[in-house]
Amino acid sequence: MAIISGKIALVTGAAAGIGRAAALKFAQEGAKVVLSDVNVDGGEETATMIRDNGGEAVFMKADVSVPEEVDALIAKAVDTYGRLDCACNNAGIEGRIAPIVEQPLDNYDRIMAVNARGTFLCMKAELTQMLKTGGGAIVNLASVAGLIGFPGLSPYVASKHAVNGMTKNAALEYGKQGIRVNSICPGGVDTRMLDSLAEQATGGAQSSAQMMDPLHPIGRIGTPEEIAELIVWLCSDRASFVTGTNIPIDGGFVAQ
């Protein structure tokens, strides 16, 4: 039985990786899905994949760091489907690996703009809409880097700690209005982002799996589909007593 049938779900960063997997899972579980990304070709491809499998989806290009584009995205969801029930704020970037002294300011600013400011702007618009219709569920994509430190990734670590903090605050502020807000903290996952980090860290000498598999007690990195399972469950009524959490989904990484 579909666990989220009839719901309207928004997924940012839906062109590939975790965002695409989440969008496909939402549709598989009965939701109508609104997708966004700055990558138009990838986003449209995700929407086509959903429709080809009998689901309903609409794509809109949006940069989550731009308030007007975020507001237009939420308006698109409401204009198309009448409301917004669930949101997965997944859009994010990794940036450059370097110790703090060598980090360019523009790298820090761009990472914080997309990952932290983008999550804030999306939640602000999503919450505004959900308050009008009496409730909803939001899942923010943080990272194990939002729970612990990673040398060389200070801007990314800062942005994901910010996501986890905002998640807790939003849950406290809007719980009594029927809105649940959680974040998830993936470990290594087989995505373009992890490939980029592996390329930077090893100069191409190791794949992301070769670099990261041994670091996870489970013995491997995760798949986007495994992450999508948790995202959609958290947006379903089966998670009705879960809010304000920063949940690791990391093959035991932060248990070490």
Side-chain angles (χ1 to χ4, degrees):
M1 179 180 175
I3 66 172
I4 205 160
S5 184
K7 303 279 191 179
I8 310 303
L10 168 69
V11 181
T12 68
I18 292 171
R20 170 172 285 180
L24 293 172
K25 184 63 178 175
F26 271 120
Q28 179 187 337
E29 294 294 345
K32 299 175 182 178
V33 192
V34 180
L35 315 173
S36 79
D37 206 295
V38 293
N39 177 349
V40 175
D41 289 343
E44 291 284 11
E45 185 177 47
T46 303
T48 298
M49 292 169 70
I50 290 172
R51 290 192 288 265
D52 285 349
N53 284 313
E56 291 190 47
V58 60
F59 171 79
M60 180 177 178
K61 181 183 179 182
D63 181 338
V64 297
S65 70
V66 180
E68 295 80 8
E69 295 191 21
V70 172
D71 289 342
L73 176 62
I74 304 307
K76 175 74 170 180
V78 176
D79 290 346
T80 304
Y81 295 121
R83 64 184 192 278
L84 180 65
D85 302 307
C86 317
C88 172
N89 296 319
N90 167 72
I93 57 175
E94 75 284 355
R96 174 179 167 182
I97 297 177
I100 288 177
V101 171
E102 299 169 24
Q103 278 284 352
L105 184 57
D106 62 351
N107 183 61
Y108 174 88
D109 286 344
R110 184 57 184 157
I111 290 172
M112 293 300 289
V114 175
N115 297 2
R117 173 185 166 98
T119 299
F120 172 80
L121 290 173
C122 285
M123 280 205 297
K124 184 178 174 70
E126 292 154 4
L127 288 162
T128 298
Q129 177 57 37
M130 288 175 180
L131 286 169
K132 295 177 182 178
T133 52
I138 296 173
V139 177
N140 296 321
L141 263 290
S143 166
V144 290
L147 300 171
I148 59 175
F150 281 84
L153 289 174
S154 290
Y156 184 77
V157 168
S159 73
K160 294 303 187 178
H161 274 72
V163 168
N164 279 336
M166 286 189 286
T167 296
K168 292 176 183 178
N169 247 58
L172 295 175
E173 291 167 355
Y174 297 102
K176 287 185 174 62
Q177 285 93 336
I179 301 172
R180 295 183 298 102
V181 187
N182 295 286
S183 67
I184 64 170
C185 302
V189 179
D190 186 15
T191 61
R192 177 212 57 80
M193 180 183 290
L194 193 64
D195 289 341
S196 170
L197 291 172
E199 174 69 28
Q200 291 187 65
T202 71
Q206 290 184 311
S207 69
S208 55
Q210 289 171 327
M211 182 180 75
M212 295 297 293
D213 280 355
L215 303 181
H216 293 71
I218 205 170
R220 64 172 177 84
I221 58 175
T223 68
E225 291 74 21
E226 287 174 312
I227 310 306
E229 291 283 347
L230 179 57
I231 292 167
V232 175
W233 180 80
L234 283 169
C235 286
S236 78
D237 291 340
R238 296 183 182 181
S240 56
F241 199 53
V242 184
T243 195
T245 62
N246 309 138
I247 304 174
I249 177 167
D250 64 354
F253 190 95
V254 298
Q256 301 177 97

